[in-house]
């Protein structure tokens, strides 16, 4: 049986990222940039006023009630027609182009208007003004030619404003992998049905599909396949055109655990079977090689915690790497145990837990959840991390340091849009 690290490096050696595609930015959320993005503008594009007020020469304001002649009104989108000279000011709105000659703006609230014969004046209620007051200079935030986003950045909803500002209505992203998910088991019924005695609902399939989508993958949930060699053969063969096929169940030592044999018959090259890990030991991994295409096949154990642990340790980093991100072993962080914990692990183990910010705010405090076996979905849904336990007998005290694997609790859920890709190409 191989170790977790060996399994990871074997998978990694078989994982090759896909090419790039051009997409409208709203379809690129959750996907990874395949190029550096450079701004074609300065931001702001001109020296601009940050407030509604009066553009003037700072040195003109001397003493309590300076009065200046108002020469024009500059609104956003219009250009100044005149220069500000000593003794004058221009009414200016937020974001508007600062007129030449002016070097500061006084807020409207710090002024009052004074009508003089044939002349509108403004009185400044500030004793002095610093040059640059309420002015943002051209290019203060971005210079034309700046690299604003780097290749490998995963696009977030938050980035869309900046992408728009720098003229990137379409971006080149790494094509996300196409992933098919198939839950195997004679005992399974779809979540919409009431299971007859002896049956259970397929919970792994929908969970694996949702977690996969969260990585940016394009996912097809194939539903349930019975433990029949004919059905399995048909379903697996049909999906060897995908980039990744994730199977759940049928990889242990039971009489109906047919997945490794059927994969072998279909020419899927076994890379490894079984990992020194708990839960998740039966994990199977193979590759279907065709001259023009490769499918990575994961056979995850059917028990829900084992399936989740294998997804987080092995499948997630693979999907992320295929989608263009750097390979990462997952969000492992150090945490302190919130309470005493005793356990015995005969293999490196993972248990569902909750992690919160510790009372001093400097680390995580992790609390293992009481769970009733590997099928306890209720504990899984309450967890936001998995505690990693070393082999052997452990007796942890509150405050002891441990490793935790953070679970994603807020997936970015942007299905990759075929139609958008077609339109763009
Ligand atoms: P298997 O790996 O096929 O031997 O399944 C191990 C355990 O996980 C059995 O108790 C199955 O009933 C359960 N199981 C298998 N597949 C699923 C699934 N898709 N959803 C929920 N439980 C499952
Ligand atoms: Mg089974």
């Amino acid at each position: 049986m191989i170790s977790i690290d060996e399994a990871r490096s074997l998978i990694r050696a078989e994982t090759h990222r896909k090419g790039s595609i051009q997409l409208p930015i709203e379809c690129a959320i959750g996907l990874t940039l395949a190029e550096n993005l450079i701004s074609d503008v300065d931001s702001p594009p001109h020296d601009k006023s940050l407030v509604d007020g009066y553009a003037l020469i700072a040195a003109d304001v001397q003493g309590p009630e300076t009065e200046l002649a108002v020469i024009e009104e500059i609104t956003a989108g219009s250009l100044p027609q005149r220069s500000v000279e000593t003794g004058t000011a221009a009414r200016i709105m937020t974001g508007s182009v600062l007129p030449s000659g002016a070097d500061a703006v006084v807020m409207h609230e710090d002024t009052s208007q004074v009508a003089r014969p044939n002349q509108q004046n403004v009185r400044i209620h500030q004793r002095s003004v610093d040059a640059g007051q309420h002015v943002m200079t051209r290019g203060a935030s971005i210079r034309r030619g700046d690299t604003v986003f780097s290749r490998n950045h995963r696009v977030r909803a938050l980035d869309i404003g900046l992408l728009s500002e720098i003229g990137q209505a379409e971006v080149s992203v790494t094509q996300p992998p196409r992933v098919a998910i198939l839950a195997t088991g004679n005992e399974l019924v779809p979540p919409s049905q009431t299971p007859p005695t002896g049956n259970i609902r397929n919970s792994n399939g929908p969970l694996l599909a949702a977690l996969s989508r969260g990585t940016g993958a394009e996912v097809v949930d194939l539903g349930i396949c019975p433990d029949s060699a004919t059905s399995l053969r048909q379903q697996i063969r049909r999906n060897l055109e995908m980039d990744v096929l994730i199977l759940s169940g049928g990889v242990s030592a039971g009489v109906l655990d047919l997945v490794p044999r059927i994969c072998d018959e279909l020419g899927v090259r076994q890379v490894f079977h079984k990992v020194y890990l708990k839960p998740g030991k039966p994990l199977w991994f193979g590759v279907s090689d065709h001259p023009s295409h490769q499918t990575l096949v994961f056979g995850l154990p059917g028990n829900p915690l084992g399936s989740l642990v294998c997804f987080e340790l092995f499948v997630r980093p693979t999907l992320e790497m295929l989608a263009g991100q750097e390979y990462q072993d997952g969000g492992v962080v150090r945490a302190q145990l919130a309470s005493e914990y005793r356990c015995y692990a005969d293999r490196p183990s993972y248990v569902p837990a909750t992690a919160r910010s510790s009372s001093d705010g400097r680390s995580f405090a992790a609390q293992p959840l009481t769970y009733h076996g590997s099928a306890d979905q209720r504990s899984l849904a309450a967890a936001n991390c998995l505690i990693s336990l070393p082999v052997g007998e452990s007796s942890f005290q509150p405050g002891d340091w441990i490793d935790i694997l953070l679970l994603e609790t807020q997936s970015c859920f942007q299905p990759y849009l075929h139609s958008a890709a077609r339109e763009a190409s």
Side-chain angles (χ1 to χ4, degrees), residues 184-188 227 248-252 256-258 302:
T184 74
N186 285 340
E187 73 279 33
L188 302 177
D227 295 313
S248 138
V251 287
S252 310
L256 289 180
D257 289 336
L258 306 171

Side-chain angles (χ1 to χ4, degrees), residues 182-187 224-232 235 256 258:
L182 183 64
T184 74
N186 285 340
E187 73 279 33
I224 298 162
C225 182
D227 295 313
S228 116
T230 314
S231 310
L232 271 172
Q235 285 276 25
L256 289 180
L258 306 171

Side-chain angles (χ1 to χ4, degrees), residues 4 12 23 43 163 180 196 203 205 220 252 260 308 341 351 375 401 407 411:
I4 295 172
R12 201 173 158 176
L23 285 179
S43 179
L163 285 164
S203 55
V220 183
S252 310
L308 175 75
Y341 186 62
V351 296
W401 288 95
L407 298 172
S411 285

